[in-house]
Amino acid sequence: MKPIRFFQSIQAKLIIIYLLMILVALQLIGVYFIKTLETSLKNEFIENRNSQAQLLAQYAETYLTENQENKNSDTAKKSYADLNDFVNGLFATSKAEIQIIDANGAVLTTTRPTNQSVVNSKNTQTEVTRALQGIKDNQRLFTDFDGVRKIIIAKPIGSGVKVLGAVYIIASMDDVYKTLTQINNFFISGTLIALALTAGLGVILSSTITNPIKAITRQATAVAEGRYEYEEKIRVVGEDEIGQLGNTFNFMMERLREALSLNEEEKEKLASILSNMNDGLIATDDHGRIMVINRRAKQILQVNEDTTLGMPLGELLGMPQEKMQVLEGTEDHSTMLHLYHEAEEDPLFVKVTYTTIHSKGSTGTIAVLQDVTGQEKLDQARREFVANVSHELRTPLTTIKSYLEALEDGALEEPQLAGKFVNVARNETERMIRLVTDLLQLSRLDSKQAILSKVTTDVTEMLEEVADRFSFQLEQRMIAIEIDVEKHVDEIMLDRDRIDQVLDNLVSNAIKYTPEGGHIRIHAGRRESSVLEISVQDNGIGIPRKDLSRIFERFYRVDKARSRNMGGTGLGLSIAREIVKAHGGAIQLESELGQGTRVKFTLPYQQEEAAV
């Protein structure tokens, strides 16, 4: 967050407002006070000078009356001399020039020693002229050439109608204005001191307002930046509006933390659910671009999240937009995809179901991906199983029916031919019996209904008996058989009849697919001290690599025509696998085309046997 400069802050604005308010108030008070004081001092000064002029006019009236009565006498001269002494003695300290003027306008006396030259000269000032005419209020304020403000006052002398002369006073108002200047300076100094104190108090008082706001701003900034763990609370120091704001903000933060915590929990739950779903899930925005893709969807599509976010859904699934719009418009909203990955030979069957979602004015799509490869393979296996069972049963039945019809048509009358036909029908019937028996056995093994009758068995003896049972076929095809039992192979508890069935099936297959003069090796040994491993290996024609993954499927034949001609039902290896699994073991097949085949299976020793 960009820091706020001091002069842009609320604190500075409050301080400036305080200062402006104080400054305006002081200026208004000061202007009113100075103007009032100036008016008062001026009026007092003028009144004093007017009183002084009036007093002089009354006093000088006596002298002027006597002088007019005793003109050109020594007494008149003495009166003017006394008047001059009186005026100089009484008013010399008033810093004003006082002139006594006779009726003709001549200056009789002046209080300014440096201006004695004006005595007996005529004063032509307008105020003097007006006073000699009997006008009493004659005064004028002016500024002298040296910048000093002065006042002129002229008063007529004489109590009657006749004007004997005039009193002329010209006084400087410099002291008045100096006093006003000093008062102005005091006021300005006081204003500056008041503003400084106001600024200090403004900083202190504004801090009580701005500090909680700053604290709230810090917390709000922390929340805006995603730092919800910010635990500092707003310090509330009062019950005013700021304190209520702080309490409200603290309460809001607590509720926000609770809401965020709950939201995080729900988010984690949703993320956990999405991550651990067995189905893939993809969510898009209203533009059809991917926003969310879970782990299962990435596994199914074998893509990376970084490259898929923001990608159009149709591009990810390899479907054109037109087809997706058609699917969204149908009631089913689902389709089947066949995905081919480089590491897998078989395609991956994925069912995609689309759902349109509406949220706050926006429309998105959720695509659910279900890996139905196993289900498809199971359905295919079931279809193949039904088809194979039907075919395996239909073939001998058709043969039996055709031979019975031939017997019915007359072959019964020919004993040699009839015997041959009956023999074929009997062989096909036995083949059907073997098929049904194998199917029933597989059904019991699948449903865990087969009961194992375990007995203590000598492994070497069991393998030798297997070789003895096939000795005639081995001699006929000139195939050598070798039995190899390791020294530490002990007796084991197993169902002898069923394991004999497994061994017979493996040895029979080895004889069928091993050419004359070949070799078969039966080996038995202990693995991990508690597991018996038995293997049957031949050097026959082998099995192609593409058929190895399906060799234990029911009715699956590598060479279907040859296997059927050899009398096999296609269930031998399936039965062998189920019998070994029922004993708690496992069976594996390894083969190279033209190099031979090796089938091995393991049987666990019981705990008491392993302890011996």
Side-chain angles (χ1 to χ4, degrees):
M1 183 179 178
K2 184 179 180 181
I4 300 176
R5 296 181 179 178
F6 176 76
F7 289 103
Q8 295 177 340
S9 64
I10 295 178
Q11 187 175 16
K13 293 176 182 178
L14 290 174
I15 294 172
I16 292 172
I17 290 172
Y18 288 154
L19 292 177
L20 290 177
M21 290 174 61
I22 296 298
L23 182 61
V24 170
L26 289 176
Q27 288 300 313
L28 291 175
I29 295 171
V31 170
Y32 175 77
F33 175 73
I34 295 299
K35 289 297 181 182
T36 303
L37 182 62
E38 181 181 2
T39 302
S40 177
L41 291 175
K42 283 182 178 181
N43 291 337
E44 184 181 359
F45 182 83
I46 293 171
E47 287 177 2
N48 288 337
R49 294 299 175 269
N50 281 324
S51 298
Q52 186 179 13
Q54 187 67 35
L55 179 62
L56 283 172
Q58 293 176 358
Y59 187 78
E61 182 180 358
T62 304
Y63 288 93
L64 292 178
T65 302
E66 291 180 354
N67 288 335
Q68 287 182 357
E69 292 176 353
N70 301 307
K71 289 182 178 180
N72 301 320
S73 64
D74 293 336
T75 306
K77 294 178 179 180
K78 184 180 180 181
S79 296
Y80 285 138
D82 292 341
L83 178 62
N84 186 48
D85 292 338
F86 174 77
V87 173
N88 287 317
L90 185 62
F91 299 102
T93 60
S94 61
K95 295 182 180 180
E97 182 182 359
I98 302 173
Q99 296 178 1
I100 304 297
I101 302 171
D102 62 9
N104 296 321
V107 178
L108 299 177
T109 181
T110 179
T111 59
R112 180 175 292 180
T114 60
N115 202 21
Q116 292 299 320
S117 60
V118 299
V119 177
N120 296 323
S121 63
K122 197 169 183 177
N123 191 331
T124 60
Q125 291 286 340
T126 303
E127 288 77 16
V128 174
T129 303
R130 288 170 56 86
L132 292 175
Q133 294 175 359
I135 300 173
K136 294 182 178 181
D137 293 329
N138 299 293
Q139 62 184 33
R140 176 170 62 90
L141 293 172
F142 71 98
T143 302
D144 204 351
F145 63 91
D146 56 357
V148 178
R149 281 168 286 192
K150 297 180 179 180
I151 185 171
I152 296 175
I153 299 174
K155 291 286 185 180
I157 300 173
S159 58
V161 178
K162 184 179 179 181
V163 176
L164 301 177
V167 176
Y168 174 78
I169 300 176
I170 179 170
S172 173
M173 298 184 70
D174 191 46
D175 291 341
V176 174
Y177 284 100
K178 283 183 179 179
T179 303
L180 290 174
T181 301
Q182 290 178 354
I183 293 173
N184 274 329
N185 292 334
F186 290 150
F187 182 77
I188 292 172
S189 300
T191 301
L192 294 176
I193 294 172
L195 290 176
L197 293 175
T198 302
L201 291 174
V203 172
I204 297 173
L205 294 176
S206 62
S207 297
T208 61
I209 298 175
T210 58
N211 286 343
I213 296 176
K214 290 178 181 177
I216 292 173
T217 303
R218 285 194 298 270
Q219 277 206 348
T221 302
V223 173
E225 293 175 351
R227 293 184 283 116
Y228 302 111
E229 70 280 358
Y230 196 75
E231 295 293 340
E232 182 180 350
K233 284 190 175 183
I234 303 299
R235 184 170 173 265
V236 179
V237 295
E239 297 297 330
D240 55 2
E241 290 82 354
I242 299 295
Q244 292 179 3
L245 177 61
N247 286 325
T248 303
F249 192 86
N250 289 334
F251 177 71
M252 183 191 70
M253 288 300 299
E254 291 178 1
R255 295 298 301 272
L256 180 60
R257 289 192 187 97
E258 292 175 1
L260 290 174
S261 177
L262 182 61
N263 187 34
E264 286 296 325
E265 291 179 3
E266 295 297 328
K267 186 177 179 181
E268 290 177 0
K269 289 180 183 178
L270 180 60
S272 177
I273 292 173
L274 292 177
S275 298
N276 295 286
M277 284 179 61
N278 290 328
D279 297 333
L281 185 139
I282 303 174
T284 67
D285 57 15
D286 50 357
H287 298 292
R289 298 189 176 277
I290 297 173
M291 298 186 303
V292 178
I293 179 169
N294 69 345
R295 178 176 54 83
R296 181 55 179 158
K298 290 184 288 184
Q299 291 176 350
I300 292 174
L301 299 175
Q302 292 190 1
V303 294
N304 189 353
E305 183 176 5
D306 296 335
T307 59
T308 56
L309 293 180
M311 180 187 296
L313 180 60
E315 180 180 344
L316 178 64
L317 299 180
M319 296 176 59
Q321 186 66 25
E322 295 77 9
K323 185 176 180 180
M324 292 188 61
Q325 292 176 353
V326 171
L327 288 173
E328 293 175 1
T330 60
E331 295 182 358
D332 190 14
H333 299 296
S334 62
T335 185
M336 186 70 70
L337 297 180
H338 297 174
L339 303 179
Y340 294 89
H341 299 311
E342 295 181 358
E344 300 177 3
E345 296 181 359
D346 297 330
L348 196 67
F349 296 89
V350 179
K351 181 180 180 182
V352 183
T353 304
Y354 299 93
T355 303
T356 303
I357 56 174
H358 303 277
S359 175
K360 296 182 180 180
S362 61
T363 303
T365 303
I366 292 180
V368 179
L369 281 65
Q370 294 177 295
D371 184 1
V372 294
T373 305
Q375 182 179 350
E376 286 293 322
K377 288 183 177 180
L378 180 60
D379 291 342
Q380 183 178 357
R382 288 173 179 172
R383 290 191 294 270
E384 291 180 357
F385 178 76
V386 172
N388 289 329
V389 170
S390 301
H391 180 74
E392 294 293 339
L393 290 176
R394 183 179 59 189
T395 300
L397 287 174
T398 302
T399 302
I400 293 173
K401 180 181 178 183
S402 61
Y403 278 98
L404 290 177
E405 289 176 351
L407 290 172
E408 185 179 9
D409 290 340
L412 188 61
E413 302 299 331
E414 299 179 15
Q416 185 176 359
L417 187 61
K420 181 179 178 181
F421 284 1
V422 170
N423 187 41
V424 171
R426 183 175 62 252
N427 291 335
E428 293 296 327
T429 302
E430 291 177 354
R431 180 180 171 187
M432 281 196 303
I433 291 173
R434 287 197 305 273
L435 176 62
V436 172
T437 302
D438 289 344
L439 289 174
L440 290 175
Q441 186 175 6
L442 273 175
S443 176
R444 284 193 294 267
L445 290 170
D446 287 340
S447 60
K448 310 298 181 182
Q449 294 180 356
I451 300 175
L452 300 180
S453 301
K454 293 185 178 183
V455 296
T456 302
T457 303
D458 184 273
V459 177
T460 303
E461 179 186 352
M462 179 178 65
L463 298 181
E464 290 177 350
E465 288 183 3
V466 171
D468 290 340
R469 285 196 293 272
F470 290 94
S471 59
F472 180 72
Q473 298 179 28
L474 292 169
E475 289 178 2
Q476 280 187 326
R477 298 175 59 85
M478 294 180 293
I479 297 174
I481 189 169
E482 175 189 357
I483 299 176
D484 180 18
V485 180
E486 296 179 2
K487 294 181 179 180
H488 301 289
V489 173
D490 301 325
E491 294 180 343
I492 187 172
M493 293 287 293
L494 49 78
D495 188 324
R496 177 67 179 271
D497 292 338
R498 295 187 185 278
I499 297 300
D500 282 342
Q501 185 179 357
V502 172
L503 292 170
D504 290 348
N505 182 277
L506 298 181
V507 174
S508 175
N509 286 340
I511 294 173
K512 288 179 184 178
Y513 300 106
T514 300
E516 293 183 359
H519 179 269
I520 297 175
R521 180 174 181 266
I522 304 176
H523 174 267
R526 295 192 72 154
R527 299 291 178 267
E528 300 176 0
S529 73
S530 60
V531 175
L532 171 64
E533 181 183 271
I534 299 175
S535 63
V536 178
Q537 183 174 0
D538 62 63
N539 59 350
I541 60 176
I543 301 173
R545 185 180 298 273
K546 65 182 181 63
D547 296 314
L548 290 178
S549 60
R550 302 188 60 187
I551 197 66
F552 288 101
E553 292 182 9
R554 297 167 188 183
F555 293 109
Y556 186 82
R557 294 184 176 92
V558 177
D559 186 351
K560 296 178 174 56
R562 181 177 179 184
S563 298
R564 188 172 289 111
N565 291 334
M566 292 180 177
T569 62
L571 298 174
L573 288 178
S574 298
I575 295 173
R577 182 179 62 178
E578 297 300 329
I579 292 175
V580 171
K581 286 173 62 178
H583 280 78
I587 187 170
Q588 295 179 349
L589 186 145
E590 301 170 359
S591 182
E592 289 278 344
L593 188 62
Q595 300 294 325
T597 302
R598 179 172 179 257
V599 183
K600 62 180 180 180
F601 64 92
T602 58
L603 299 172
Y605 283 95
Q606 295 182 0
Q607 291 188 1
E608 59 270 15
E609 295 174 1
V612 174

